[in-house]
Amino acid sequence: MRTIWTVLLVVALGAGAACRRPPAPTPDVVAVATATLPGDPLDRAWQAAPEHVAALLLQDLVEPRLMTPSTAAVRVRALVSGDEIALRLEWADVEADDRPGPGQFPDGCAVQFPQKAAASAPDPQMGQLGQGVDITFWRADWQATVNGRGDTIQELYPNATVDHYPFDARSLERGSDAQRDMATRYAPAVGAGNVRGAWRTSAVEDLVAEGPGTLSPAATTVSRGGGVRTADGWAVVIVRPRPEGLSLQAPATVAFAVWQGGAGEAGARKMRTGWVPLSMREAP
Amino acid sequence: MARVHNWQIGREMSYWYPESRPEKQFAAVFDTNKCIACQTCTLACKTTWTSGKGQEYMLWNNVETKPYGSYPLAWDLKLLDMIGGSQWNGGVYEGQTIFESAPAGERVMGWKPEAQDYAYPNVGEDDCAGQVDGGAEFSLPHMAWFFYLARICNHCTYPACLASCPRGSIYKRPEDGIVLVDQGRCRGYQECVKGCPYKKVFFNPMTGTSEKCIACYPKMELGLQPQCFVNCIGKIRMAGYLSTPDKARADNPLDYLVHVRKIALPLYPQFGLEPNVYYIPPIHVPTPFLRQIFGPGVDAAVAAYRNAPNDDDLAGLLSLFGSTESVMTRWVRQGQEVAGVDDRGTTLVRVPLTEPVVERAAFDRVYQIMRHNCP
Ligand code: SF4
Ligand code: SF4
């Protein structure tokens, strides 16, 4: 009798576990409708979304090309709530590269959508003239800044010594406009209004493009996002406006890119996908 | 790739964009024989432009001792190795430029310096080639040698930095040929850092963009020479504008030195960029070494320079180096005097060919005292 109860218990536990098992991987990205979108890549709510494994291709279409493959695939889950979509990207990268420097490149990832829902999608490699793409980009060094890495050269090179910065002159009152002006004088990218040059408050950036070499910052960054280290790589969540045309009835498309900083990847040198179908469904 | 003409290598070559020369080209002549490696130029630039966060390691102007000095480390040797020798046939370069030898997937042949490569800006300083022992210092001419090579961005006619940038963030100003990184557009991919053979673009890790020498364009626009020129203690530098060889004017000081007298030569012309800083080669260095750095014109240049004391025009023009902050677009010798003149014909400065020598008497009659150092 005792044996029968034990067997029943095991079967019941097994069935329970089967109920909690995440949905099986899907050939496309399937975004599941949900009440709220998790911002944390480790949130259990992600288990509700099926995983799509997107194989990554070399960007070998335009110079400068990537000639040696690095990251093989990115695992993607998606959730939709109201006007927003959240995408969770996870990929393997044993070494975390989150420090910018000469010859040193940070890890990163990006999601890309056609700006307009149309019968024919724009060129997947950064869109094309008249058929632009919206991109949200996450970078490991921005994440490190958001996580609290300080704004000093010693944070990047602990043994660096600096005699003097002109904006530290005793004649300049701390925090005054005059001090800020002096600092900007020696930070030309900040002076030119380059959003990349400024101190970061977000780990992601919204961009637009109409073909290779045309990438520009969007008027404002409305997307949110953040990434964490996993046992063997990165998991990143990007929350952004729901792509035009995506509904329970109508699918859309999405593309992904991953940069492995340790392999010297930056800009056009990246692993990428073509357009991947993106559909939406109600939560089960 | 387009086909363009590069007069420094005496032939056509491939370049990423079609030939498009500016209305006038910013250029400079450095007389290596006069440089004392005081690094005043380096500091003049540093305090003016690169004293900010992320710029700590940057030297838009640096001075290295050849043969062993280099900043960043081995910048030239690495590339010489990569392009595999430099064969010249007279004035025609028969090897491959960095554009022609670009591997698949690349716009130019280059290499990426790392933080460590910038860590030794003074490596090899004052180290001479060869040993000085066994009383060798008493023999003349000395068999050991070194010289100082002052370097800034060459504001190349065919910039590799510009060709390398996939975003078109680098531009060459049509009005004066100065090459600039658009700081609003750069996204810090470091393709230009990799592409520039002279390693004169630097990545700023704090702003995430690449930065480079701007030829002090706010000064040049006012007719004033850049900071590293006017602060040069050795008076080795002259900035101005250079014509193409077919349009050379003998009364333009740079045209005269580069095209007419051919005593100032480009740095590593075999790389194929048509760099616009020209060097009067050091006269005491073995020619094979000089030929590798400055191309096939070194023998004639050294001979002409050695003869300058008997050559009033050359000696006169060389006396104008470091004589005024203003840009001299013309020069004229009148007897034993030379004058630097600007575009409007205004005389900016007059310099005698021979400085008057005043010999002071050992006994000062006014103060009734001996003026010498002996007790
Ligand atoms: S020296 Fe380098 S940075 Fe300057 S213009 Fe030439 S390629 Fe560009
Ligand atoms: S200031 Fe002039 S003399 Fe001194 S190191 Fe620079 S180029 Fe040479």
Side-chain angles (χ1 to χ4, degrees), chain B residues 90-292:
Chain B
V92 180
Y93 175 56
E94 293 187 329
Q96 299 252 291
T97 67
I98 62 165
F99 305 110
E100 292 159 343
S101 51
E106 305 290 324
R107 293 180 172 198
V108 307
M109 157 98 78
W111 64 279
K112 266 182 283 190
E114 296 181 359
Q116 196 68 9
D117 295 320
Y118 295 102
Y120 313 99
N122 287 348
V123 68
E125 189 162 79
D126 291 355
D127 279 352
C128 55
Q131 300 274 315
V132 184
D133 52 14
E137 64 271 33
F138 296 118
S139 65
L140 278 175
H142 292 318
M143 52 10 141
W145 55 272
F146 67 77
F147 72 98
Y148 300 125
L149 186 70
R151 304 202 300 118
I152 60 171
C153 162
N154 293 289
H155 297 278
C156 308
T157 304
Y158 302 114
C161 58
L162 186 154
S164 305
C165 179
R167 295 180 49 67
S169 303
I170 301 186
Y171 60 105
K172 187 168 175 65
R173 305 207 307 180
E175 64 269 35
D176 55 14
I178 290 174
V179 176
L180 298 175
V181 179
D182 180 342
Q183 289 296 319
R185 192 163 167 73
C186 174
R187 290 185 66 82
Y189 301 158
Q190 301 187 44
E191 295 290 348
C192 53
V193 180
K194 181 179 179 188
C196 169
Y198 304 100
K199 296 295 167 246
K200 281 296 172 191
V201 201
F202 301 85
F203 177 69
N204 181 326
M206 303 307 272
T207 62
T209 58
S210 297
E211 300 173 2
K212 66 180 284 300
C213 158
I214 59 171
C216 291
Y217 71 82
K219 292 191 76 185
M220 286 300 288
E221 287 171 3
L222 297 174
L224 300 173
Q225 301 189 60
Q227 293 291 74
C228 56
F229 289 70
V230 300
N231 284 283
C232 176
I233 303 297
K235 300 188 174 189
I236 83 155
R237 303 177 176 217
M238 183 184 275
Y241 300 99
L242 184 80
S243 316
T244 45
D246 53 316
K247 302 212 177 73
R249 281 181 8 231
D251 68 344
N252 170 340
L254 298 197
D255 281 0
Y256 187 76
L257 295 170
V258 174
H259 294 312
V260 179
R261 303 305 305 272
K262 299 182 173 31
I263 70 159
L265 305 167
L267 182 63
Y268 291 114
Q270 64 269 46
F271 293 162
L273 288 76
E274 222 189 271
N276 286 301
V277 175
Y278 293 81
Y279 292 87
I280 302 179
I283 55 174
H284 60 290
V285 171
T287 358
F289 189 83
L290 291 182
R291 259 189 230 134
Q292 176 171 263

Side-chain angles (χ1 to χ4, degrees), chain A residues 8-240:
Chain A
L8 282 177
L9 189 66
V10 168
V11 170
L13 282 174
C19 288
R20 286 199 304 274
R21 194 179 298 144
T26 46
D28 304 339
V29 179
V30 178
V32 175
T34 176
T36 53
L37 297 177
D40 179 357
L42 304 180
D43 197 310
R44 292 181 61 84
W46 287 107
Q47 299 298 320
E51 188 171 80
H52 168 75
V53 181
L56 292 168
L57 314 163
L58 287 165
Q59 190 299 103
D60 56 1
L61 304 171
V62 292
E63 271 96 4
R65 302 168 198 233
L66 186 66
M67 306 301 280
T68 315
S70 55
T71 314
V74 56
R75 289 165 18 226
V76 183
R77 291 171 197 261
L79 294 167
V80 171
S81 175
D83 293 339
E84 288 189 321
I85 185 168
L87 293 131
R88 180 187 189 276
L89 278 62
E90 184 172 351
W91 69 97
D93 182 352
V94 187
E95 210 175 309
D97 293 287
D98 66 357
R99 286 165 192 275
Q104 235 177 321
F105 301 87
D107 298 327
C109 70
V111 298
Q112 174 184 280
F113 296 95
Q115 268 166 5
K116 301 228 167 348
S120 73
D123 195 318
Q125 174 56 19
M126 313 298 288
Q128 65 199 71
L129 199 62
Q131 271 188 282
V133 289
D134 287 329
I135 292 166
T136 305
F137 186 28
W138 170 90
R139 250 179 44 178
D141 58 330
W142 300 342
Q143 186 68 55
T145 304
V146 171
N147 292 354
R149 186 161 71 199
D151 182 23
T152 66
I153 197 73
Q154 285 80 9
E155 294 278 352
L156 299 176
Y157 302 99
N159 297 326
T161 57
V162 178
D163 299 336
H164 173 73
Y165 292 117
F167 43 83
D168 282 342
R170 247 180 274 162
S171 55
L172 294 170
E173 196 189 317
R174 302 245 139 210
S176 64
D177 285 350
Q179 194 198 26
R180 257 191 306 279
D181 282 354
M182 184 60 92
T184 306
R185 222 180 270 184
Y186 292 99
V190 179
N194 189 333
V195 286
R196 275 204 155 188
W199 188 236
R200 300 207 67 89
T201 51
S202 167
V204 299
E205 182 182 13
D206 283 342
L207 299 148
V208 292
E210 285 197 345
T214 65
L215 189 69
S216 318
T220 53
T221 283
V222 295
S223 302
R224 313 181 292 282
V228 293
R229 281 300 286 171
T230 59
D232 69 341
W234 290 103
V236 173
V237 168
I238 290 171
V239 183
R240 50 162 293 125

Side-chain angles (χ1 to χ4, degrees), chain B residues 35-41 63 150 232-234 236-237:
Chain B
C35 179
I36 55 171
C38 61
Q39 307 281 5
T40 314
C41 47
V63 183
C232 176
I233 303 297
I236 83 155
R237 303 177 176 217

